[in-house]
Amino acid sequence: MNTREIKVQKQGWIPKKERIWVIVAIIISASIMLWELKGLLQLSLTTLHSRQFEHTFKGFGSNARIALFLYLLIMCFFVLLGFVF
């Protein structure tokens, strides 16, 4: 046995340097989600049950699709450049 003990610090799931940015990103994403949910709840029931249901949610789906493709594009660039987290 070694006479000196090596203290191993338990490393958290998120590094200390990045915690503030992760918290900021969570707050921003939660606020955007609540903002859009509030807008969705303000729609009347007649709008939701009409034949134009597709047009009501077209904006929500388009924004989500654009965000998904941008995310995938950015991650591809990170992988190609070697900046994988």
Side-chain angles (χ1 to χ4, degrees), residues 2 21-22 30 35-37 39 42 51 62 75 79 83-85:
N2 284 341
W21 295 111
V22 170
W35 179 274
E36 294 296 328
L37 185 62
Q42 289 179 350
R51 293 278 183 196
S62 295
M75 290 312 295
V79 169
F83 296 117
V84 179
F85 296 107

Side-chain angles (χ1 to χ4, degrees), residues 66-78:
I66 290 169
L68 175 67
F69 288 137
L70 283 175
Y71 171 76
L72 293 174
L73 179 71
I74 290 171
M75 290 312 295
C76 288
F77 282 134
F78 279 146

Side-chain angles (χ1 to χ4, degrees), residues 30-79:
S31 63
I32 290 172
M33 186 180 71
L34 290 174
W35 179 274
E36 294 296 328
L37 185 62
K38 183 184 78 110
L40 183 64
L41 290 175
Q42 289 179 350
L43 293 173
S44 65
L45 290 177
T46 56
T47 305
L48 294 176
H49 294 291
S50 69
R51 293 278 183 196
Q52 297 177 350
F53 182 75
E54 176 185 342
H55 299 293
T56 303
F57 290 98
K58 197 171 194 177
F60 292 117
S62 295
N63 292 341
R65 185 175 61 228
I66 290 169
L68 175 67
F69 288 137
L70 283 175
Y71 171 76
L72 293 174
L73 179 71
I74 290 171
M75 290 312 295
C76 288
F77 282 134
F78 279 146
V79 169

